[in-house]
Amino acid sequence: MAVQYKDYYEILGVSRDASKSEIQRAYRKLARKFHPDLNKEAGSEEKFKEINEAYEVLKDPAKREKYDQFGSNWQQGDNFQPPPGWQHRSNFSRGQQGPEETFYWSSDGGEYSDFFEALFGGRFQENVQGAQGGRPFSINRRGSDHEAVLRIPLEEAFGGGTKTITMQSSGPGMDGSPSSREKRYDVKIPPGIMSGQKIRLSGQGGKGSGSGGSGDLYLKVEIEPHPRFRLEGRDLYTELAITPWEAALGAQIDVQTLDETVTLKVPPGTQSGQKLRLRAKGMPNPKGRRGDLYAVMKIKVPKKLSKKERQLFEELSKVSSFNPR
């Protein structure tokens, strides 16, 4: 039976004087859009077949010339024949097993590989059984990986634990209209996790096709700013207010860390802005030494003085030879 006339240029959405590269770009775009594995709308399978038929003719200069020559009488010309050495068989099952498609590709390759590049970036699983002198390929595409940001307080990054999060996803509903749905995840946060590190939820990404598995969901951690602590690497910094006499005479001051209260020894003559280290009181490190906590001294004076305090400061000012300038 002769091939029924179809306007291949219109099918691919290109002009009649389109270049080979323009035809190739149009084909790749439409193949991704209408492939039945990716598009479940009614008519997508027939549209996909038309796109492949049109591209197979227009990509070949000899076939394109014959098509242009016959025009509306194309159906009375030679029957359309596939290039030698390959056979394409599609079996789109609408049952529970889902879509399945098999290609027999000849060893001489050819531009029909554009089909695979357009849809799968050249990644497909080879079935090593031979068929009619060609090499069969089964399209089993792994789902894409997804990434989202997980913001957590410093305390959760420090101590770890399990956090329940809810994420929304959107897509077509049963009736084809836009729909959104929520999914809950119990995320295990390891102690000492840092900003920029990722937590992988296996199999929670995009769905694959055929026997290809689902992709993964990666949660990129961002640690929220803390009112008392500043994080630099695995070291923590906190500001510690002290009195002039504590700075001059020395003192022992209780300091609250993220998990306990410790006593810090302030040496005599401590200066404002000086950093005193509390060893291994910073962020945990699963692979090594824990960070340190640095207390940054800030000398403060009373805004209002009692009568006795004023007398003592005035006496100090008279007897002291200290000049900070």
Side-chain angles (χ1 to χ4, degrees):
M1 182 178 72
V3 176
Q4 182 180 2
Y5 171 72
K6 297 177 182 178
D7 190 338
Y8 292 149
Y9 294 100
E10 182 178 350
I11 290 173
L12 293 182
V14 296
S15 63
R16 304 192 76 84
D17 59 351
S19 65
K20 184 175 180 180
S21 61
E22 290 174 330
I23 291 173
Q24 187 180 63
R25 286 196 298 270
Y27 164 74
R28 289 179 174 178
K29 180 179 178 180
L30 292 171
R32 285 193 298 267
K33 180 178 180 180
F34 289 101
H35 190 280
D37 281 357
L38 309 178
N39 189 332
K40 303 302 183 183
E41 295 182 2
S44 62
E45 180 177 339
E46 291 302 320
K47 182 67 175 177
F48 177 73
K49 292 178 180 179
E50 284 186 346
I51 292 166
N52 278 281
E53 180 181 328
Y55 179 65
E56 187 58 38
V57 172
L58 297 185
K59 76 172 185 180
D60 187 293
K63 292 178 185 177
R64 182 177 180 181
E65 182 180 0
K66 184 178 290 188
Y67 173 78
D68 291 340
Q69 177 185 357
F70 282 107
S72 60
N73 295 319
W74 167 257
Q75 68 272 23
Q76 298 175 5
D78 295 336
N79 289 345
F80 174 79
Q81 298 291 333
W86 68 269
Q87 180 183 7
H88 171 215
R89 175 172 59 84
S90 297
N91 176 25
F92 294 98
S93 171
R94 298 305 181 192
Q96 296 181 351
Q97 294 180 349
E100 175 186 348
E101 185 161 8
T102 304
F103 291 87
Y104 294 103
W105 193 338
S106 64
S107 58
D108 57 1
E111 295 184 42
Y112 202 70
S113 61
D114 294 333
F115 169 80
F116 294 95
E117 293 176 6
L119 290 175
F120 309 106
R123 296 173 300 176
F124 45 88
Q125 182 179 3
E126 178 178 354
N127 181 343
V128 297
Q129 297 177 357
Q132 298 184 1
R135 290 183 295 152
F137 290 84
S138 297
I139 300 177
N140 299 314
R141 184 168 61 96
R142 180 183 180 273
S144 59
D145 292 335
H146 294 172
E147 183 172 309
V149 174
L150 177 62
R151 295 178 61 85
I152 59 175
L154 180 61
E155 288 83 356
E156 288 187 7
F158 178 87
T162 301
K163 184 180 184 70
T164 300
I165 64 172
T166 302
M167 298 184 64
Q168 285 191 338
S169 61
S170 60
M174 296 296 293
D175 58 355
S177 62
S179 174
S180 63
R181 51 190 179 275
E182 291 185 345
K183 189 168 184 180
R184 294 167 62 89
Y185 300 93
D186 290 329
V187 181
K188 186 176 181 181
I189 301 174
I193 195 167
M194 305 296 291
S195 285
Q197 291 185 325
K198 296 178 181 180
I199 299 173
R200 183 170 71 99
L201 302 181
S202 179
Q204 299 301 316
K207 292 184 178 180
S209 63
S211 61
S214 297
D216 299 328
L217 172 60
Y218 288 89
L219 301 177
K220 185 177 180 180
V221 172
E222 287 187 3
I223 300 177
E224 298 172 344
H226 195 275
R228 289 196 303 114
F229 295 100
R230 174 170 52 89
L231 185 61
E232 290 189 12
R234 294 193 176 274
D235 294 332
L236 291 169
Y237 289 79
T238 187
E239 190 176 86
L240 181 62
I242 59 174
T243 64
W245 47 92
E246 287 174 329
L249 303 175
Q252 291 191 358
I253 301 175
D254 288 340
V255 177
Q256 181 63 48
T257 70
L258 281 172
D259 60 343
E260 61 179 336
T261 300
V262 296
T263 300
L264 174 66
K265 184 177 181 180
V266 178
T270 294
Q271 304 297 306
S272 188
Q274 184 175 339
K275 293 182 291 187
L276 301 179
R277 183 175 67 170
L278 292 165
R279 188 183 299 272
K281 296 300 180 182
M283 291 290 285
N285 186 354
K287 297 183 179 180
R289 180 183 173 277
R290 182 174 172 177
D292 298 326
L293 171 62
Y294 289 90
V296 182
M297 301 297 105
K298 186 174 184 180
I299 300 174
K300 289 193 173 184
V301 299
K303 290 183 178 181
K304 294 183 178 181
L305 297 174
S306 66
K307 184 177 180 181
K308 181 65 174 178
E309 287 173 333
R310 178 173 292 277
Q311 291 175 350
L312 292 174
F313 272 111
E314 288 175 350
E315 184 178 346
L316 177 62
S317 67
K318 293 176 183 178
V319 299
S320 177
S321 60
F322 174 66
N323 185 355
R325 295 169 297 280

